Amino acid sequence: MALNNLSNREHYGRLKPVERQLMGKVRFSITMSLDGFVAGPDQSKENPLGVGGMALHEWLFELEAWRKSHGERGGVVNPSTPVVEELESGYGAVVMGRNMFGPIRGPWEDESWRGWWGGNPPYHTPVFVLTHHERGAAEMEGETTFHFVTDGIESALARAQRAAGHRDVLIAGGASVTRQFLRAGLIDEFRLSLVPILLGGGERLLDNLRGSTSLEQVEVIEAPGVTHLKYRCNA
Amino acid sequence: MALNNLSNREHYGRLKPVERQLMGKVRFSITMSLDGFVAGPDQSKENPLGVGGMALHEWLFELEAWRKSHGERGGVVNPSTPVVEELESGYGAVVMGRNMFGPIRGPWEDESWRGWWGGNPPYHTPVFVLTHHERGAAEMEGETTFHFVTDGIESALARAQRAAGHRDVLIAGGASVTRQFLRAGLIDEFRLSLVPILLGGGERLLDNLRGSTSLEQVEVIEAPGVTHLKYRCNA
């Protein structure tokens, strides 16, 4: 494909309006504490969300919609349910950072680590993992395939968009990769699920982003223990 | 009054339950950017809200309810209107920091500075200004009187609560004083008006507050260009 060597912005810029309309959105969805953290302080292998960070996702873990897609039974239905259903549908490819894929740093010692999610990860699409170290693709059950991309976020996004076709590309995290996409102006839309806890430290999502995008508030959903806010970028 | 020498917490601890029920709430209301700032970077006398900070209050300045209480005509009515009406009613005393009262630092050279608000400030109750430097009270038109308190937030709050009676005490700001009240566990309820802008720097409200209070989300109002979130403290 002749557009292969172009950055995503250049690629997008050369598309005809009708082609742009056929492309899905680039979006992410993340839970944030009221004081702005998406993970607590002192993240570790034992504590991947940092101290206190698990409390961020209590609203999610209790939902039937989430439990079902992760092979668990029970759970509740409430105004957060459509938020999770929307998050888990409509995308055709995923991009994530290496820290989201696993705790291993530096070169891959071998290819035995295949993500946190067991043999059948909940993505069911191609997943493009950003890394500085080459590695062969890992085909999983349920149509998830992990591809490892070593030439940066714009290249990963271009590959994901080709894989997704008219469907959305989901930026799955973590915070650092998501922030890179925001800073580069590559996000179309995002959801913040704002939880009334004060973590006091940890990883900030919205750090140093002045001027990177303009935002339009497009939806607010009040749910038990969380408010879901949706914003359109470059409005 | 025998309770005059007690801290506010001690004072409150000695009240009978029926007396506590008769007291109003201690509350504040503040506008925050999506990245957590209540003022932009580089605050100055010319730019009291810092670079970009005026954009925080666009939702407010266009409201008829706000314009009316500040002697201006015109403006719109929208879902933000009851938020402003609630903010501007039901309180019987105000506490504010010195930076909110004016730009002067250090000892008062004279008593000519009487606030940003002209001869008839929009408070219409006693206002207790926290300062390290003694100064006589300033009686204004419209029943606003500025009292200057030099012995700390708990003393200012005790005086404000006595003045307010069964009505609320409003902590008017700025961010530093409001954060001190939060950190000391003295706030009953607060409203954050969250605006979809990224200031990228400036003054954070919710900084270093881990463990200072637990929060319960009690109300969410979606309005044009802003989401109003209300939380109860020590829930």
Side-chain angles (χ1 to χ4, degrees):
Chain A
M1 191 170 175
L3 295 174
N4 257 352
N5 295 328
L6 299 178
S7 76
N8 191 63
R9 270 186 178 167
E10 290 167 330
H11 173 84
Y12 192 81
R14 295 195 185 190
L15 293 176
K16 297 172 188 159
V18 64
E19 291 175 307
R20 290 188 200 175
Q21 282 172 21
L22 292 174
M23 291 173 69
K25 294 187 288 273
V26 181
R27 61 178 166 98
F28 71 86
S29 184
I30 201 163
T31 296
M32 190 169 91
S33 68
L34 195 59
D35 54 351
F37 298 101
V38 295
D42 303 320
Q43 290 178 68
S44 63
K45 191 170 177 178
E46 293 69 35
N47 221 348
L49 284 171
V51 176
M54 283 301 280
L56 286 166
H57 298 106
E58 277 170 17
W59 69 271
L60 182 64
F61 296 150
E62 69 172 18
L63 289 178
E64 183 185 44
W66 189 87
R67 299 176 69 86
K68 208 170 170 182
S69 67
H70 288 71
E72 292 178 51
R73 290 185 178 193
V76 302
V77 175
N78 69 28
S80 291
T81 297
V83 173
V84 173
E85 289 171 346
E86 184 196 87
L87 168 63
E88 296 187 339
S89 67
Y91 65 86
V94 173
V95 176
M96 66 172 63
R98 178 176 179 165
N99 297 0
M100 172 111 187
F101 178 68
I104 301 160
R105 303 291 175 266
W108 305 100
E109 296 290 322
D110 55 48
E111 302 197 352
S112 61
W113 178 267
R114 294 161 74 90
W116 301 101
W117 305 274
N120 187 357
Y123 298 107
H124 312 296
T125 66
V127 176
F128 297 89
V129 180
L130 287 153
T131 168
H132 294 294
H133 304 279
E134 297 205 1
R135 178 177 155 174
E139 258 186 70
M140 314 296 288
E141 292 163 46
E143 300 190 50
T144 299
T145 301
F146 294 110
H147 301 275
F148 299 85
V149 181
T150 56
D151 52 352
I153 61 169
E154 300 210 349
S155 167
L157 181 56
R159 289 180 63 183
Q161 285 185 312
R162 280 193 286 276
H166 66 281
R167 287 174 296 170
D168 294 347
V169 171
L170 182 68
I171 310 299
S176 160
V177 162
T178 307
R179 194 165 47 240
Q180 286 175 54
F181 275 97
L182 273 171
R183 201 168 279 155
L186 297 172
I187 300 291
D188 296 313
E189 188 180 286
F190 65 92
R191 173 98 70 184
L192 287 184
S193 296
L194 197 62
V195 169
I197 59 174
L198 298 169
L199 289 175
E203 182 143 24
R204 286 193 194 279
L205 174 69
L206 302 175
D207 206 20
N208 241 322
L209 289 171
R210 179 182 176 78
S212 51
T213 182
S214 63
L215 302 176
E216 181 190 357
Q217 174 182 300
V218 291
E219 190 184 60
V220 179
I221 295 175
E222 176 178 10
V226 60
T227 299
H228 305 288
L229 304 149
K230 192 194 274 188
Y231 299 97
R232 191 175 297 132
C233 298
N234 304 308
Chain B
M1 191 170 175
L3 295 174
N4 257 351
N5 295 328
L6 300 178
S7 77
N8 190 62
R9 270 186 178 167
E10 290 167 329
H11 173 83
Y12 192 79
R14 295 194 186 191
L15 293 175
K16 296 172 189 160
V18 65
E19 291 175 308
R20 290 189 200 174
Q21 282 173 20
L22 293 174
M23 291 173 68
K25 293 188 289 271
V26 181
R27 61 179 167 96
F28 71 87
S29 186
I30 201 162
T31 297
M32 190 169 92
S33 69
L34 196 58
D35 54 351
F37 298 101
V38 295
D42 303 320
Q43 290 178 66
S44 64
K45 190 169 176 178
E46 293 68 37
N47 220 349
L49 285 171
V51 175
M54 283 300 280
L56 286 167
H57 297 106
E58 278 170 17
W59 69 271
L60 182 63
F61 297 151
E62 70 173 16
L63 290 178
E64 184 187 44
W66 189 86
R67 299 175 69 86
K68 207 170 172 184
S69 67
H70 288 71
E72 292 178 53
R73 288 182 178 196
V76 302
V77 175
N78 68 26
S80 292
T81 296
V83 173
V84 173
E85 290 172 345
E86 183 196 87
L87 168 64
E88 295 187 340
S89 66
Y91 65 84
V94 173
V95 176
M96 68 171 61
R98 178 177 178 162
N99 297 1
M100 172 111 188
F101 178 69
I104 302 161
R105 303 291 175 266
W108 305 100
E109 296 289 322
D110 56 49
E111 302 198 348
S112 62
W113 179 267
R114 293 160 75 88
W116 302 99
W117 304 274
N120 188 356
Y123 297 108
H124 312 295
T125 65
V127 176
F128 297 88
V129 180
L130 288 153
T131 167
H132 293 294
H133 304 278
E134 296 205 1
R135 179 177 155 173
E139 258 185 69
M140 313 296 287
E141 292 164 47
E143 301 190 47
T144 299
T145 301
F146 293 110
H147 301 275
F148 298 87
V149 181
T150 56
D151 52 352
I153 62 169
E154 299 210 349
S155 167
L157 180 57
R159 289 180 62 183
Q161 285 184 312
R162 280 194 286 275
H166 66 282
R167 288 174 296 170
D168 293 348
V169 171
L170 182 68
I171 311 299
S176 159
V177 163
T178 306
R179 194 165 48 239
Q180 287 175 52
F181 275 98
L182 272 171
R183 201 168 278 156
L186 296 172
I187 300 291
D188 294 313
E189 189 180 287
F190 64 93
R191 174 98 70 185
L192 288 184
S193 296
L194 198 63
V195 171
I197 59 173
L198 299 169
L199 289 175
E203 180 144 27
R204 286 193 193 280
L205 175 68
L206 303 176
D207 206 21
N208 241 321
L209 288 172
R210 180 182 177 78
S212 51
T213 183
S214 62
L215 302 176
E216 181 190 358
Q217 174 181 301
V218 291
E219 191 184 61
V220 178
I221 296 173
E222 177 177 9
V226 61
T227 298
H228 305 288
L229 303 150
K230 192 194 274 188
Y231 299 97
R232 191 175 296 135
C233 298
N234 304 306

